[in-house]
Structures are given as structure tokens and as C-alpha cells.
Amino acid sequence: MPRILLVEDEPAIADTVQYALRADGFEPVHCLTGGEALRRVATEDFALAVLDVGLPDIGGFALCRELRRGRELPVIFLTAQGAEADRILGLEIGADDYVTKPFSPRELVARVRVVLRRAGGAATEPPAAAAGFDHDADGKRIRFRGQPLDLTRYEYGLLAALLQRPGAVLSRAQLMDRVWGDALDSGDRTVDTHIKTLRAKLREVDATADPVRTHRGLGYSIDAR
Ligand code: CA
């Protein structure tokens, strides 16, 4: 069951949304505040977030930015009626969709389905295209040439990020953002250091293999098949 993070400070709205999500086979997790939501995403996985724009402790847009730091998370905003500026800003900062209050819970659930289908299609296609790799994203395990790799958390994060789009160059900043999004003490060198240890582990499997490419001044990529 896909877990849906719902951040909404009005209990009556939250109740009807949760009921509709459950009826449609989703597992809603409700938070009353942005702070609570941030604590939960730090340790739990969610397929999508539904965010009320007007929260007591943090604006929905700022919360969206924080929630997405270091992770892919589709977002649907709940905006107040007639708040045109809200809708525009929501889409500008990368909301996948928005629903204007008052809304029918069934309409919201239908939009959740559409956004998840779109996000799933984008996320499941490319990984198969990297040469020699077999990525089990749920189990957070990667095999190279059939051999399971014994990776640290950061090595895994780097490799998983590169495997998402084989052939595409990711800058150090992009890698930092995706892999070290939650850490404070990190610099550009951190990426280089972990790429180095990652390469060593790939060479242990095959001494001639070097699928990770350095693009001077740009970043890193992994070879497409
Ligand atoms: Ca509210």
C-alpha cells in the first residue's frame, strides 16, 4: 500500500481525506504541523505528500522545499479558494498538482493516483539501462555483474543517484543535495572521497571495470549500456 503523507492542521479535513485515501487502498499518515512532517520523512518513506498551504508553524511552500531536500517526493498542495497567487507559486516551486478548498476527497484521491502513475513511470524506466548493474531500490541493494556490493550509506546513495539516469552528468552540488541533503558538515570533497571508495569496490568485482566517469569541472556520470 503506497504511504501518503498528509499535512493538514484542520482535523475535519484531514479525517475525510484519510478516509477517502484508505477506501482507495492507500495508507495515509497524518501530521498536524510541518515540524512533525519533517521528523517523519527523516526516517520513513512516503510515495507522495499532500500539503496544506496554510499551516500554523511553516508555510506549505517552504515545507515542500524542506521535504524534498535530498529525496524525490511528489507533492500535491491544498490551497485556499480563490488564492490564485498560491496556485501559481505552488506550480512554480514544482508542485505536481494542487486542489482548491473546498474539494471533494474523491477528486483528491483521483489526482493522487494520476501523480503517482506519472512519477512511477519516470522512476522505473531508466535503472535497467546501466551496464552491469542490478538495483533493488526497495531493499537498497545493488549488484554489479551479479555480485552484491557491500556499500556504505553514502556510497549507496551516490550510486543510486547516478543509476537513476545512466549517461547523465550530475554535478557535485546535485549529488550533495540528493545524498547528503540532511547532513550539515559536508563539502565538495565529500563526494570525491566516496566516489573513490565506490570505484575501488567496483574494481574488486572486476579489475578492468570503471563505469563511473569523471567529467572535469562538471561532475560524474555512470555509463549507459
Ligand atoms: Ca490550514
Short mmCIF file of all heavy atoms in Angstrom, two decimals, residues 132 144-145 147 149 199-211:
data_model
loop_
_atom_site.label_atom_id
_atom_site.label_comp_id
_atom_site.label_asym_id
_atom_site.label_seq_id
_atom_site.Cartn_x
_atom_site.Cartn_y
_atom_site.Cartn_z
N GLY A 132 25.61 -3.56 -16.47
CA GLY A 132 26.11 -4.46 -15.42
C GLY A 132 25.48 -4.30 -14.07
O GLY A 132 25.80 -5.06 -13.15
N PHE A 144 26.56 -5.70 -8.91
CA PHE A 144 27.36 -5.33 -10.08
C PHE A 144 27.91 -6.62 -10.68
O PHE A 144 28.53 -7.41 -9.96
CB PHE A 144 28.49 -4.38 -9.67
CG PHE A 144 29.34 -3.94 -10.83
CD1 PHE A 144 28.77 -3.42 -11.99
CD2 PHE A 144 30.72 -4.05 -10.77
CE1 PHE A 144 29.55 -3.02 -13.06
CE2 PHE A 144 31.51 -3.63 -11.84
CZ PHE A 144 30.93 -3.12 -12.98
N ARG A 145 27.62 -6.86 -11.96
CA ARG A 145 27.99 -8.10 -12.63
C ARG A 145 27.57 -9.31 -11.80
O ARG A 145 28.33 -10.25 -11.60
CB ARG A 145 29.51 -8.15 -12.86
CG ARG A 145 30.07 -6.92 -13.53
CD ARG A 145 30.45 -7.19 -14.97
NE ARG A 145 30.42 -5.96 -15.75
CZ ARG A 145 31.51 -5.32 -16.17
NH1 ARG A 145 32.69 -5.78 -15.91
NH2 ARG A 145 31.38 -4.23 -16.88
N GLN A 147 27.26 -9.62 -8.65
CA GLN A 147 27.78 -9.69 -7.27
C GLN A 147 27.18 -8.58 -6.42
O GLN A 147 27.22 -7.42 -6.79
CB GLN A 147 29.30 -9.46 -7.29
CG GLN A 147 30.05 -10.54 -7.99
CD GLN A 147 31.15 -11.08 -7.12
OE1 GLN A 147 30.94 -11.24 -5.90
NE2 GLN A 147 32.29 -11.35 -7.68
N LEU A 149 27.05 -5.67 -3.89
CA LEU A 149 28.07 -4.72 -3.42
C LEU A 149 27.84 -4.42 -1.94
O LEU A 149 26.70 -4.23 -1.51
CB LEU A 149 27.97 -3.43 -4.22
CG LEU A 149 28.28 -3.54 -5.73
CD1 LEU A 149 27.88 -2.24 -6.44
CD2 LEU A 149 29.76 -3.84 -5.95
N ARG A 199 34.49 3.38 -6.44
CA ARG A 199 35.22 2.82 -7.58
C ARG A 199 36.07 1.63 -7.16
O ARG A 199 36.15 0.63 -7.87
CB ARG A 199 36.15 3.88 -8.19
CG ARG A 199 35.43 4.79 -9.16
CD ARG A 199 36.40 5.79 -9.72
NE ARG A 199 35.83 6.48 -10.85
CZ ARG A 199 36.04 7.77 -11.12
NH1 ARG A 199 36.81 8.50 -10.32
NH2 ARG A 199 35.50 8.31 -12.17
N ALA A 200 36.70 1.75 -6.00
CA ALA A 200 37.54 0.65 -5.51
C ALA A 200 36.69 -0.61 -5.32
O ALA A 200 37.13 -1.72 -5.65
CB ALA A 200 38.22 1.06 -4.20
N LYS A 201 35.47 -0.44 -4.82
CA LYS A 201 34.61 -1.60 -4.60
C LYS A 201 34.15 -2.22 -5.92
O LYS A 201 33.98 -3.43 -6.02
CB LYS A 201 33.41 -1.21 -3.74
CG LYS A 201 33.82 -0.98 -2.30
CD LYS A 201 32.69 -0.64 -1.37
CE LYS A 201 33.24 -0.42 0.03
NZ LYS A 201 32.20 -0.01 1.00
N LEU A 202 33.96 -1.37 -6.95
CA LEU A 202 33.58 -1.90 -8.26
C LEU A 202 34.75 -2.66 -8.88
O LEU A 202 34.57 -3.69 -9.53
CB LEU A 202 33.13 -0.76 -9.18
CG LEU A 202 31.85 -0.04 -8.74
CD1 LEU A 202 31.58 1.16 -9.64
CD2 LEU A 202 30.65 -0.98 -8.75
N ARG A 203 35.97 -2.14 -8.63
CA ARG A 203 37.15 -2.82 -9.17
C ARG A 203 37.38 -4.16 -8.50
O ARG A 203 37.96 -5.07 -9.10
CB ARG A 203 38.39 -1.93 -9.02
CG ARG A 203 38.60 -0.99 -10.20
CD ARG A 203 40.01 -0.45 -10.24
NE ARG A 203 40.38 0.19 -8.99
CZ ARG A 203 40.14 1.48 -8.71
NH1 ARG A 203 39.55 2.26 -9.59
NH2 ARG A 203 40.50 2.00 -7.55
N GLU A 204 36.94 -4.29 -7.24
CA GLU A 204 37.06 -5.59 -6.56
C GLU A 204 36.25 -6.65 -7.29
O GLU A 204 36.62 -7.82 -7.32
CB GLU A 204 36.56 -5.49 -5.11
CG GLU A 204 37.58 -4.91 -4.16
CD GLU A 204 36.98 -4.69 -2.77
OE1 GLU A 204 36.05 -5.43 -2.41
OE2 GLU A 204 37.44 -3.77 -2.08
N VAL A 205 35.14 -6.24 -7.88
CA VAL A 205 34.29 -7.18 -8.62
C VAL A 205 34.93 -7.47 -9.98
O VAL A 205 34.98 -8.60 -10.43
CB VAL A 205 32.87 -6.61 -8.80
CG1 VAL A 205 32.03 -7.55 -9.67
CG2 VAL A 205 32.20 -6.40 -7.45
N ASP A 206 35.41 -6.41 -10.64
CA ASP A 206 36.03 -6.57 -11.95
C ASP A 206 37.14 -5.53 -12.08
O ASP A 206 36.88 -4.32 -12.16
CB ASP A 206 34.97 -6.36 -13.04
CG ASP A 206 35.57 -6.48 -14.45
OD1 ASP A 206 36.82 -6.46 -14.59
OD2 ASP A 206 34.79 -6.58 -15.40
N ALA A 207 38.38 -6.00 -12.10
CA ALA A 207 39.54 -5.11 -12.04
C ALA A 207 39.60 -4.15 -13.23
O ALA A 207 40.20 -3.09 -13.15
CB ALA A 207 40.82 -5.92 -11.95
N THR A 208 38.97 -4.53 -14.34
CA THR A 208 39.06 -3.68 -15.53
C THR A 208 37.86 -2.73 -15.66
O THR A 208 37.81 -1.90 -16.56
CB THR A 208 39.12 -4.54 -16.82
OG1 THR A 208 37.89 -5.28 -16.92
CG2 THR A 208 40.29 -5.49 -16.78
N ALA A 209 36.90 -2.88 -14.76
CA ALA A 209 35.67 -2.09 -14.89
C ALA A 209 35.85 -0.70 -14.30
O ALA A 209 36.42 -0.54 -13.24
CB ALA A 209 34.52 -2.79 -14.18
N ASP A 210 35.38 0.30 -15.03
CA ASP A 210 35.37 1.66 -14.49
C ASP A 210 34.16 2.41 -15.05
O ASP A 210 34.30 3.31 -15.86
CB ASP A 210 36.68 2.38 -14.85
CG ASP A 210 36.82 3.67 -14.08
OD1 ASP A 210 36.05 3.85 -13.10
OD2 ASP A 210 37.65 4.51 -14.45
N PRO A 211 32.98 1.99 -14.62
CA PRO A 211 31.77 2.55 -15.21
C PRO A 211 31.46 3.97 -14.75
O PRO A 211 30.64 4.65 -15.36
CB PRO A 211 30.66 1.59 -14.76
CG PRO A 211 31.18 0.98 -13.50
CD PRO A 211 32.67 0.96 -13.61
#
